Amino acid sequence: MHSAATTGAAPAPVAAVPAALLLVVLVVVVLALAAFGAAALRASRRRARERHGAARTDALTGLGNRLALAEAVTARLAAGGPVGLLLLDLDGFKEVNDTLGHAAGDELLVQVAASLCAGTGLPAGGTSGGGTPGDDPAAGAVTRLGGDEFAVLAAAPVTAAAVEVLAKRLLAALSMGDFSVAGVQLDVQGSMGTACSPADGTTAGELLQHADVAMYAAKRGQLGVVRYDAAVDPHHGGNLQLLGQLRTGLSDGEFLLHYQPKVSRDGGALLGFEALLRWQHPVRGLLAPGEFLPMAERTNLIHTLTRWVLMTALQQASRWRAAGLAVSMSVNVSAVSLEPGLLGIVEEALALTRWSAADLVLEVTETAIIADGPGARTTIDALRARGVRVSIDDFGAGSTSLAHLRGLAVHELKIDRQFITDLTDSPDDDVIVSAVIELGHRLGLVVVAEGVETAATAGRLAALGCDELQGYYFARPLPPAEALAWVRAEGLVVASTGAVAPAVVD
Ligand code: C2E
Ligand code: MG
Ligand code: MG
């Protein structure tokens, strides 16, 4: 028992030590486990954060990507703040990749990202490059959507005007920037589309899509920055319907041309007609070109329309000519149609109507020539070589430098209506018009004034030596039969082809 007692008493401390030890060990283990668990949790959270970050970061530039942008826009919209989105696409980036290689292309994208970040006052590169979209609802962010496409989320306060200023500033910074890759100095230009909530969209998807439509419009027209405009968005519900109607309207014969006479300086002789497009819409009535052309210009339909207008105008002119009325025919050509394919369309129309190239005038706007630069010039040169005359329409309306006139193969300058309307009341307009007439003549061009609405304006233009006049004062654009009746009623001198009397044709 003693021993038992002894042995019974002795084990107690022996057992107490391991128990305490066990407790300590247990505590240590638990603490270690807890620490390990916390570390593992932290690591897993870090990995999750990294995964989250990586999924939202563009690996090349360190900017946020499309997902980051979409989430940031959604968060800002949910917070009730207006969102201003700018979408940039570089012009001619493919050529950099093709000629200098993809590594050079990547390097250029990194430099462009840095330029955009500098322009918006955000840090460049690293994982927080371009700002972390969504963190601060008032801050801006630069993101890369893929390829050479970047999106900028405008910082607060967001107004359409502020967004436009930012877009222009970023584009200007790109065009003036010092970009050098693979030892080659590069000239970087881009096209930007902007969209602002709520006017241009109320969801991230809508704003992105609309900024994209605007960017595409900027690219096509080489306009730099374009704000989204639902009225000319071919994907917009109502317009989609109108575009479909445009297509069927063409085959159903709903389009027609009105003809406005161009007369001599003294108003006594008929020199030609300008064909102006109209759409007799079955529901909406007679539509002016401004109501449907901008939308047609954003699709290939414009080429079909250009062809139809050329063919119809020359057919009409041929009918008048066959009946003894010798006039020239002026046809307007959209900026987007001023491309090499136009030559084929013109050639076909001339051949089918047996119209002389010298009696066809193609009116192209000043902005069309400048926007496309060499492409438009090449087409104009080819038309000129074919004997077709080219007129610069709306001269003075664009923000152009006179340098663009240098070496341009045109034969006519048409002074924009805005300078003619108040000519007799505005000394400034008088100075401008007189200078343009002088300039045109010194360059050997025929000068035409459009929008002549009063006898006083016609008289002043005649005194300034303007060659040809056109406007409501003489006649509005008229259907063919009325145009002919007008010529007869006015008793104008008309160069005759010696064929049948003009009275018998319409
Ligand atoms: P535009 O070529 O500068 O044509 C002159 C515009 O001014 C025409 O408007 C004409 O009706 C209007 N106008 C003529 N005289 C007067 C006047 O004394 N006072 C005022 N206030 N306006 C006058 P319209 O027919 O609505 O055409 C607008 C523009 O649409 C044209 O400007 C032209 O750029 C374009 N356009 C017209 N037809 C065609 C076409 O067949 N193809 C293309 N691509 N564009 C066309
Ligand atoms: Mg015109
Ligand atoms: Mg005009």
Side-chain angles (χ1 to χ4, degrees), residues 162-193:
V163 167
E164 191 182 340
V165 168
L166 174 64
K168 287 186 173 158
R169 200 177 66 221
L170 293 176
L171 272 192
L174 282 180
S175 68
M176 290 186 299
D178 187 16
F179 297 96
S180 164
V181 292
V184 179
Q185 198 77 22
L186 292 175
D187 179 28
V188 175
Q189 306 286 340
S191 303
M192 250 190 200

PDB file of all heavy atoms in Angstrom, residues 162-193:
ATOM      1  N   ALA A 162     -16.070  69.789 -69.751  1.00  0.00           N
ATOM      2  CA  ALA A 162     -14.792  69.428 -69.131  1.00  0.00           C
ATOM      3  C   ALA A 162     -14.220  68.170 -69.777  1.00  0.00           C
ATOM      4  O   ALA A 162     -13.009  68.053 -69.988  1.00  0.00           O
ATOM      5  CB  ALA A 162     -14.993  69.213 -67.634  1.00  0.00           C
ATOM      6  N   VAL A 163     -15.096  67.227 -70.097  1.00  0.00           N
ATOM      7  CA  VAL A 163     -14.648  65.982 -70.726  1.00  0.00           C
ATOM      8  C   VAL A 163     -14.057  66.263 -72.109  1.00  0.00           C
ATOM      9  O   VAL A 163     -13.029  65.702 -72.491  1.00  0.00           O
ATOM     10  CB  VAL A 163     -15.828  64.971 -70.807  1.00  0.00           C
ATOM     11  CG1 VAL A 163     -15.501  63.812 -71.726  1.00  0.00           C
ATOM     12  CG2 VAL A 163     -16.163  64.460 -69.413  1.00  0.00           C
ATOM     13  N   GLU A 164     -14.691  67.175 -72.833  1.00  0.00           N
ATOM     14  CA  GLU A 164     -14.181  67.508 -74.160  1.00  0.00           C
ATOM     15  C   GLU A 164     -12.806  68.187 -74.060  1.00  0.00           C
ATOM     16  O   GLU A 164     -11.890  67.877 -74.828  1.00  0.00           O
ATOM     17  CB  GLU A 164     -15.169  68.426 -74.895  1.00  0.00           C
ATOM     18  CG  GLU A 164     -14.793  68.547 -76.362  1.00  0.00           C
ATOM     19  CD  GLU A 164     -15.711  69.474 -77.140  1.00  0.00           C
ATOM     20  OE1 GLU A 164     -16.837  69.730 -76.676  1.00  0.00           O
ATOM     21  OE2 GLU A 164     -15.276  69.926 -78.217  1.00  0.00           O
ATOM     22  N   VAL A 165     -12.681  69.078 -73.098  1.00  0.00           N
ATOM     23  CA  VAL A 165     -11.399  69.766 -72.909  1.00  0.00           C
ATOM     24  C   VAL A 165     -10.308  68.739 -72.582  1.00  0.00           C
ATOM     25  O   VAL A 165      -9.213  68.764 -73.145  1.00  0.00           O
ATOM     26  CB  VAL A 165     -11.514  70.827 -71.781  1.00  0.00           C
ATOM     27  CG1 VAL A 165     -10.137  71.332 -71.376  1.00  0.00           C
ATOM     28  CG2 VAL A 165     -12.399  71.972 -72.237  1.00  0.00           C
ATOM     29  N   LEU A 166     -10.643  67.810 -71.676  1.00  0.00           N
ATOM     30  CA  LEU A 166      -9.675  66.768 -71.289  1.00  0.00           C
ATOM     31  C   LEU A 166      -9.283  65.938 -72.513  1.00  0.00           C
ATOM     32  O   LEU A 166      -8.101  65.661 -72.742  1.00  0.00           O
ATOM     33  CB  LEU A 166     -10.281  65.874 -70.197  1.00  0.00           C
ATOM     34  CG  LEU A 166      -9.445  64.655 -69.792  1.00  0.00           C
ATOM     35  CD1 LEU A 166      -8.123  65.092 -69.157  1.00  0.00           C
ATOM     36  CD2 LEU A 166     -10.208  63.758 -68.804  1.00  0.00           C
ATOM     37  N   ALA A 167     -10.287  65.532 -73.306  1.00  0.00           N
ATOM     38  CA  ALA A 167     -10.019  64.700 -74.484  1.00  0.00           C
ATOM     39  C   ALA A 167      -9.072  65.426 -75.437  1.00  0.00           C
ATOM     40  O   ALA A 167      -8.093  64.846 -75.922  1.00  0.00           O
ATOM     41  CB  ALA A 167     -11.331  64.357 -75.187  1.00  0.00           C
ATOM     42  N   LYS A 168      -9.350  66.699 -75.679  1.00  0.00           N
ATOM     43  CA  LYS A 168      -8.503  67.459 -76.605  1.00  0.00           C
ATOM     44  C   LYS A 168      -7.098  67.613 -76.046  1.00  0.00           C
ATOM     45  O   LYS A 168      -6.118  67.545 -76.783  1.00  0.00           O
ATOM     46  CB  LYS A 168      -9.129  68.824 -76.885  1.00  0.00           C
ATOM     47  CG  LYS A 168     -10.351  68.697 -77.790  1.00  0.00           C
ATOM     48  CD  LYS A 168     -10.891  70.033 -78.201  1.00  0.00           C
ATOM     49  CE  LYS A 168     -12.000  69.826 -79.239  1.00  0.00           C
ATOM     50  NZ  LYS A 168     -12.901  70.944 -79.327  1.00  0.00           N
ATOM     51  N   ARG A 169      -7.025  67.811 -74.716  1.00  0.00           N
ATOM     52  CA  ARG A 169      -5.705  67.987 -74.098  1.00  0.00           C
ATOM     53  C   ARG A 169      -4.883  66.703 -74.222  1.00  0.00           C
ATOM     54  O   ARG A 169      -3.709  66.719 -74.552  1.00  0.00           O
ATOM     55  CB  ARG A 169      -5.892  68.369 -72.630  1.00  0.00           C
ATOM     56  CG  ARG A 169      -4.662  69.041 -72.049  1.00  0.00           C
ATOM     57  CD  ARG A 169      -4.872  69.476 -70.632  1.00  0.00           C
ATOM     58  NE  ARG A 169      -5.061  68.352 -69.743  1.00  0.00           N
ATOM     59  CZ  ARG A 169      -5.949  68.317 -68.762  1.00  0.00           C
ATOM     60  NH1 ARG A 169      -6.757  69.331 -68.567  1.00  0.00           N
ATOM     61  NH2 ARG A 169      -6.047  67.262 -67.976  1.00  0.00           N
ATOM     62  N   LEU A 170      -5.531  65.556 -73.982  1.00  0.00           N
ATOM     63  CA  LEU A 170      -4.811  64.280 -74.046  1.00  0.00           C
ATOM     64  C   LEU A 170      -4.347  63.994 -75.479  1.00  0.00           C
ATOM     65  O   LEU A 170      -3.226  63.515 -75.697  1.00  0.00           O
ATOM     66  CB  LEU A 170      -5.704  63.141 -73.539  1.00  0.00           C
ATOM     67  CG  LEU A 170      -6.048  63.198 -72.046  1.00  0.00           C
ATOM     68  CD1 LEU A 170      -7.005  62.078 -71.673  1.00  0.00           C
ATOM     69  CD2 LEU A 170      -4.785  63.114 -71.200  1.00  0.00           C
ATOM     70  N   LEU A 171      -5.215  64.288 -76.449  1.00  0.00           N
ATOM     71  CA  LEU A 171      -4.837  64.064 -77.853  1.00  0.00           C
ATOM     72  C   LEU A 171      -3.688  64.977 -78.255  1.00  0.00           C
ATOM     73  O   LEU A 171      -2.758  64.562 -78.951  1.00  0.00           O
ATOM     74  CB  LEU A 171      -6.024  64.320 -78.786  1.00  0.00           C
ATOM     75  CG  LEU A 171      -6.966  63.160 -79.065  1.00  0.00           C
ATOM     76  CD1 LEU A 171      -7.892  63.505 -80.211  1.00  0.00           C
ATOM     77  CD2 LEU A 171      -6.206  61.878 -79.393  1.00  0.00           C
ATOM     78  N   ALA A 172      -3.775  66.243 -77.791  1.00  0.00           N
ATOM     79  CA  ALA A 172      -2.712  67.205 -78.121  1.00  0.00           C
ATOM     80  C   ALA A 172      -1.394  66.737 -77.507  1.00  0.00           C
ATOM     81  O   ALA A 172      -0.333  66.806 -78.148  1.00  0.00           O
ATOM     82  CB  ALA A 172      -3.085  68.589 -77.612  1.00  0.00           C
ATOM     83  N   ALA A 173      -1.466  66.229 -76.273  1.00  0.00           N
ATOM     84  CA  ALA A 173      -0.245  65.754 -75.603  1.00  0.00           C
ATOM     85  C   ALA A 173       0.361  64.592 -76.386  1.00  0.00           C
ATOM     86  O   ALA A 173       1.583  64.466 -76.511  1.00  0.00           O
ATOM     87  CB  ALA A 173      -0.555  65.324 -74.179  1.00  0.00           C
ATOM     88  N   LEU A 174      -0.510  63.732 -76.948  1.00  0.00           N
ATOM     89  CA  LEU A 174      -0.009  62.595 -77.738  1.00  0.00           C
ATOM     90  C   LEU A 174       0.666  63.093 -79.010  1.00  0.00           C
ATOM     91  O   LEU A 174       1.766  62.654 -79.360  1.00  0.00           O
ATOM     92  CB  LEU A 174      -1.157  61.661 -78.114  1.00  0.00           C
ATOM     93  CG  LEU A 174      -1.671  60.714 -77.037  1.00  0.00           C
ATOM     94  CD1 LEU A 174      -2.809  59.877 -77.582  1.00  0.00           C
ATOM     95  CD2 LEU A 174      -0.547  59.800 -76.543  1.00  0.00           C
ATOM     96  N   SER A 175      -0.006  64.031 -79.697  1.00  0.00           N
ATOM     97  CA  SER A 175       0.546  64.461 -80.991  1.00  0.00           C
ATOM     98  C   SER A 175       1.811  65.291 -80.806  1.00  0.00           C
ATOM     99  O   SER A 175       2.634  65.365 -81.709  1.00  0.00           O
ATOM    100  CB  SER A 175      -0.503  65.206 -81.810  1.00  0.00           C
ATOM    101  OG  SER A 175      -0.795  66.419 -81.199  1.00  0.00           O
ATOM    102  N   MET A 176       1.968  65.898 -79.637  1.00  0.00           N
ATOM    103  CA  MET A 176       3.187  66.688 -79.418  1.00  0.00           C
ATOM    104  C   MET A 176       4.238  65.910 -78.630  1.00  0.00           C
ATOM    105  O   MET A 176       5.325  66.405 -78.383  1.00  0.00           O
ATOM    106  CB  MET A 176       2.839  67.969 -78.678  1.00  0.00           C
ATOM    107  CG  MET A 176       2.054  68.940 -79.553  1.00  0.00           C
ATOM    108  SD  MET A 176       1.761  70.515 -78.785  1.00  0.00           S
ATOM    109  CE  MET A 176       0.817  70.109 -77.363  1.00  0.00           C
ATOM    110  N   GLY A 177       3.874  64.705 -78.208  1.00  0.00           N
ATOM    111  CA  GLY A 177       4.755  63.911 -77.350  1.00  0.00           C
ATOM    112  C   GLY A 177       6.009  63.424 -78.063  1.00  0.00           C
ATOM    113  O   GLY A 177       6.079  63.406 -79.290  1.00  0.00           O
ATOM    114  N   ASP A 178       6.945  63.044 -77.248  1.00  0.00           N
ATOM    115  CA  ASP A 178       8.223  62.578 -77.773  1.00  0.00           C
ATOM    116  C   ASP A 178       8.238  61.054 -77.656  1.00  0.00           C
ATOM    117  O   ASP A 178       8.631  60.501 -76.645  1.00  0.00           O
ATOM    118  CB  ASP A 178       9.324  63.223 -76.916  1.00  0.00           C
ATOM    119  CG  ASP A 178      10.694  62.931 -77.484  1.00  0.00           C
ATOM    120  OD1 ASP A 178      10.774  62.523 -78.650  1.00  0.00           O
ATOM    121  OD2 ASP A 178      11.681  63.115 -76.740  1.00  0.00           O
ATOM    122  N   PHE A 179       7.786  60.371 -78.687  1.00  0.00           N
ATOM    123  CA  PHE A 179       7.702  58.913 -78.628  1.00  0.00           C
ATOM    124  C   PHE A 179       8.811  58.306 -79.479  1.00  0.00           C
ATOM    125  O   PHE A 179       8.912  58.612 -80.678  1.00  0.00           O
ATOM    126  CB  PHE A 179       6.343  58.428 -79.134  1.00  0.00           C
ATOM    127  CG  PHE A 179       5.202  58.902 -78.292  1.00  0.00           C
ATOM    128  CD1 PHE A 179       4.486  60.035 -78.648  1.00  0.00           C
ATOM    129  CD2 PHE A 179       4.860  58.242 -77.120  1.00  0.00           C
ATOM    130  CE1 PHE A 179       3.443  60.489 -77.864  1.00  0.00           C
ATOM    131  CE2 PHE A 179       3.815  58.688 -76.322  1.00  0.00           C
ATOM    132  CZ  PHE A 179       3.105  59.820 -76.692  1.00  0.00           C
ATOM    133  N   SER A 180       9.608  57.488 -78.846  1.00  0.00           N
ATOM    134  CA  SER A 180      10.709  56.888 -79.581  1.00  0.00           C
ATOM    135  C   SER A 180      10.802  55.417 -79.200  1.00  0.00           C
ATOM    136  O   SER A 180      10.943  55.067 -78.030  1.00  0.00           O
ATOM    137  CB  SER A 180      11.987  57.640 -79.214  1.00  0.00           C
ATOM    138  OG  SER A 180      13.090  56.898 -79.588  1.00  0.00           O
ATOM    139  N   VAL A 181      10.673  54.545 -80.197  1.00  0.00           N
ATOM    140  CA  VAL A 181      10.817  53.113 -79.925  1.00  0.00           C
ATOM    141  C   VAL A 181      11.760  52.504 -80.946  1.00  0.00           C
ATOM    142  O   VAL A 181      11.757  52.909 -82.113  1.00  0.00           O
ATOM    143  CB  VAL A 181       9.460  52.354 -79.947  1.00  0.00           C
ATOM    144  CG1 VAL A 181       8.591  52.747 -78.797  1.00  0.00           C
ATOM    145  CG2 VAL A 181       8.732  52.549 -81.249  1.00  0.00           C
ATOM    146  N   ALA A 182      12.541  51.557 -80.492  1.00  0.00           N
ATOM    147  CA  ALA A 182      13.521  50.872 -81.346  1.00  0.00           C
ATOM    148  C   ALA A 182      14.357  51.892 -82.120  1.00  0.00           C
ATOM    149  O   ALA A 182      14.676  51.702 -83.288  1.00  0.00           O
ATOM    150  CB  ALA A 182      12.805  49.921 -82.319  1.00  0.00           C
ATOM    151  N   GLY A 183      14.659  53.007 -81.441  1.00  0.00           N
ATOM    152  CA  GLY A 183      15.518  54.020 -82.059  1.00  0.00           C
ATOM    153  C   GLY A 183      14.812  54.854 -83.115  1.00  0.00           C
ATOM    154  O   GLY A 183      15.426  55.648 -83.816  1.00  0.00           O
ATOM    155  N   VAL A 184      13.492  54.668 -83.215  1.00  0.00           N
ATOM    156  CA  VAL A 184      12.746  55.427 -84.233  1.00  0.00           C
ATOM    157  C   VAL A 184      11.811  56.413 -83.547  1.00  0.00           C
ATOM    158  O   VAL A 184      11.072  56.052 -82.630  1.00  0.00           O
ATOM    159  CB  VAL A 184      11.912  54.470 -85.131  1.00  0.00           C
ATOM    160  CG1 VAL A 184      11.119  55.258 -86.169  1.00  0.00           C
ATOM    161  CG2 VAL A 184      12.818  53.455 -85.791  1.00  0.00           C
ATOM    162  N   GLN A 185      11.871  57.660 -83.996  1.00  0.00           N
ATOM    163  CA  GLN A 185      10.996  58.703 -83.459  1.00  0.00           C
ATOM    164  C   GLN A 185       9.616  58.538 -84.098  1.00  0.00           C
ATOM    165  O   GLN A 185       9.509  58.470 -85.323  1.00  0.00           O
ATOM    166  CB  GLN A 185      11.574  60.071 -83.842  1.00  0.00           C
ATOM    167  CG  GLN A 185      11.042  61.218 -83.015  1.00  0.00           C
ATOM    168  CD  GLN A 185      11.683  61.274 -81.615  1.00  0.00           C
ATOM    169  OE1 GLN A 185      12.773  60.720 -81.429  1.00  0.00           O
ATOM    170  NE2 GLN A 185      11.017  61.905 -80.687  1.00  0.00           N
ATOM    171  N   LEU A 186       8.576  58.443 -83.287  1.00  0.00           N
ATOM    172  CA  LEU A 186       7.251  58.192 -83.867  1.00  0.00           C
ATOM    173  C   LEU A 186       6.300  59.361 -83.644  1.00  0.00           C
ATOM    174  O   LEU A 186       6.303  59.991 -82.588  1.00  0.00           O
ATOM    175  CB  LEU A 186       6.641  56.935 -83.252  1.00  0.00           C
ATOM    176  CG  LEU A 186       7.324  55.622 -83.610  1.00  0.00           C
ATOM    177  CD1 LEU A 186       6.690  54.478 -82.823  1.00  0.00           C
ATOM    178  CD2 LEU A 186       7.224  55.346 -85.101  1.00  0.00           C
ATOM    179  N   ASP A 187       5.500  59.598 -84.666  1.00  0.00           N
ATOM    180  CA  ASP A 187       4.480  60.634 -84.596  1.00  0.00           C
ATOM    181  C   ASP A 187       3.175  59.930 -84.201  1.00  0.00           C
ATOM    182  O   ASP A 187       2.688  59.082 -84.942  1.00  0.00           O
ATOM    183  CB  ASP A 187       4.379  61.266 -85.993  1.00  0.00           C
ATOM    184  CG  ASP A 187       3.324  62.343 -86.040  1.00  0.00           C
ATOM    185  OD1 ASP A 187       3.074  62.943 -84.989  1.00  0.00           O
ATOM    186  OD2 ASP A 187       2.768  62.572 -87.137  1.00  0.00           O
ATOM    187  N   VAL A 188       2.670  60.219 -83.026  1.00  0.00           N
ATOM    188  CA  VAL A 188       1.496  59.483 -82.540  1.00  0.00           C
ATOM    189  C   VAL A 188       0.229  60.352 -82.628  1.00  0.00           C
ATOM    190  O   VAL A 188       0.183  61.462 -82.098  1.00  0.00           O
ATOM    191  CB  VAL A 188       1.708  59.013 -81.085  1.00  0.00           C
ATOM    192  CG1 VAL A 188       0.446  58.351 -80.541  1.00  0.00           C
ATOM    193  CG2 VAL A 188       2.875  58.042 -81.013  1.00  0.00           C
ATOM    194  N   GLN A 189      -0.769  59.822 -83.330  1.00  0.00           N
ATOM    195  CA  GLN A 189      -2.064  60.490 -83.418  1.00  0.00           C
ATOM    196  C   GLN A 189      -3.122  59.495 -82.959  1.00  0.00           C
ATOM    197  O   GLN A 189      -2.917  58.288 -83.049  1.00  0.00           O
ATOM    198  CB  GLN A 189      -2.389  60.894 -84.866  1.00  0.00           C
ATOM    199  CG  GLN A 189      -1.326  61.721 -85.559  1.00  0.00           C
ATOM    200  CD  GLN A 189      -1.278  63.158 -85.050  1.00  0.00           C
ATOM    201  OE1 GLN A 189      -2.235  63.639 -84.458  1.00  0.00           O
ATOM    202  NE2 GLN A 189      -0.166  63.825 -85.260  1.00  0.00           N
ATOM    203  N   GLY A 190      -4.243  60.021 -82.518  1.00  0.00           N
ATOM    204  CA  GLY A 190      -5.312  59.118 -82.096  1.00  0.00           C
ATOM    205  C   GLY A 190      -6.671  59.716 -82.365  1.00  0.00           C
ATOM    206  O   GLY A 190      -6.795  60.879 -82.744  1.00  0.00           O
ATOM    207  N   SER A 191      -7.705  58.882 -82.197  1.00  0.00           N
ATOM    208  CA  SER A 191      -9.080  59.346 -82.345  1.00  0.00           C
ATOM    209  C   SER A 191      -9.790  59.059 -81.022  1.00  0.00           C
ATOM    210  O   SER A 191      -9.594  57.995 -80.434  1.00  0.00           O
ATOM    211  CB  SER A 191      -9.781  58.592 -83.460  1.00  0.00           C
ATOM    212  OG  SER A 191      -9.051  58.744 -84.656  1.00  0.00           O
ATOM    213  N   MET A 192     -10.596  60.013 -80.576  1.00  0.00           N
ATOM    214  CA  MET A 192     -11.256  59.844 -79.283  1.00  0.00           C
ATOM    215  C   MET A 192     -12.760  60.009 -79.383  1.00  0.00           C
ATOM    216  O   MET A 192     -13.250  60.895 -80.080  1.00  0.00           O
ATOM    217  CB  MET A 192     -10.716  60.884 -78.313  1.00  0.00           C
ATOM    218  CG  MET A 192      -9.873  60.267 -77.240  1.00  0.00           C
ATOM    219  SD  MET A 192      -9.503  61.448 -75.969  1.00  0.00           S
ATOM    220  CE  MET A 192      -8.073  60.642 -75.269  1.00  0.00           C
ATOM    221  N   GLY A 193     -13.467  59.122 -78.697  1.00  0.00           N
ATOM    222  CA  GLY A 193     -14.917  59.252 -78.587  1.00  0.00           C
ATOM    223  C   GLY A 193     -15.247  59.462 -77.124  1.00  0.00           C
ATOM    224  O   GLY A 193     -14.607  58.879 -76.248  1.00  0.00           O
TER     225      GLY A 193
END
